Amino acid sequence: MPRKGHVKKRQGLPDSRFGSVAVSKFVSSLMKGGKRSVAENAFYQALEIAGERLNAEPFEVFQKAMENVKPLVEVRPRRVGGATYQVPVEVPAERAQVLAIRWIISYARSKKGMPIAERLARELADAYKGEGSSIKKREDTHKMAEANRAFAHYRW
């Protein structure tokens, strides 16, 4: 928390192929050890593979997969009088995008025994179709928020 006023959010630069800031953020999250070119190649390969399998435009596959994985509500812990409640709150658009990226990449990395482009293509294709691990994570998050709806009045 800065002492002198609010810090403005910086807008990221769009990627070179699709001109999308979301793709650029996805590649940055996928990147390990500062190797952007490796991450970009793996991501674009994954989009091509997923696009071929689904007979759809690669960028459209990415966009629909991201939309399907983005959560609408989540639970945040809130301490009230010595007890900690899981309070359901709406997810801001930017955080929803970050969570979707994180979930897709983490579940793609958890599948072992094949190249990252193939694993990422499978996870994106599953998310596009509305199934798979990242979609299950979103559904679990929504179920948790629904179960704790009684504590919604503790929202701050």
Side-chain angles (χ1 to χ4, degrees):
M1 183 123 168
R3 292 173 186 249
K4 295 187 176 183
H6 184 70
V7 179
K8 291 182 181 175
K9 269 283 192 210
R10 280 187 257 161
Q11 185 66 22
L13 295 173
D15 77 308
S16 58
R17 189 175 292 185
F18 299 116
S20 169
V21 177
V23 169
S24 182
K25 285 183 180 182
F26 196 97
V27 169
S28 294
S29 297
L30 184 62
M31 180 171 54
K32 278 190 170 182
K35 300 193 174 192
R36 178 171 291 279
S37 61
V38 173
E40 278 180 346
N41 289 338
F43 176 72
Y44 292 134
Q45 262 183 336
L47 280 187
E48 293 298 324
I49 294 167
E52 286 174 17
R53 286 188 186 156
L54 298 167
N55 294 326
E57 203 61 37
F59 186 61
E60 181 189 319
V61 170
F62 172 73
Q63 285 183 315
K64 188 158 185 229
M66 287 290 289
E67 282 305 314
N68 288 346
V69 175
K70 284 181 185 178
L72 302 173
V73 289
E74 67 177 344
V75 291
R76 308 290 301 262
R78 175 93 163 114
R79 256 188 90 98
V80 178
T84 304
Y85 298 109
Q86 296 292 327
V87 179
V89 293
E90 289 182 18
V91 181
E94 195 155 315
R95 176 155 170 81
Q97 184 182 45
V98 168
L99 286 173
I101 290 170
R102 187 181 304 161
W103 292 344
I104 290 171
I105 290 174
S106 68
Y107 288 115
R109 282 193 179 136
S110 68
K111 295 181 173 98
K112 296 294 179 194
M114 58 188 103
I116 186 66
E118 177 65 31
R119 292 182 277 171
L120 192 56
R122 285 187 180 184
E123 194 60 44
L124 285 169
D126 285 347
Y128 178 85
K129 292 186 279 189
E131 52 195 46
S133 305
S134 50
I135 295 290
K136 186 175 179 342
K137 176 71 171 170
R138 174 183 180 248
E139 296 305 322
D140 291 347
T141 304
H142 284 183
K143 280 181 192 165
M144 180 91 82
E146 183 66 27
N148 288 294
R149 205 172 66 194
F151 305 122
H153 64 282
Y154 288 125
R155 209 175 305 166
W156 63 95

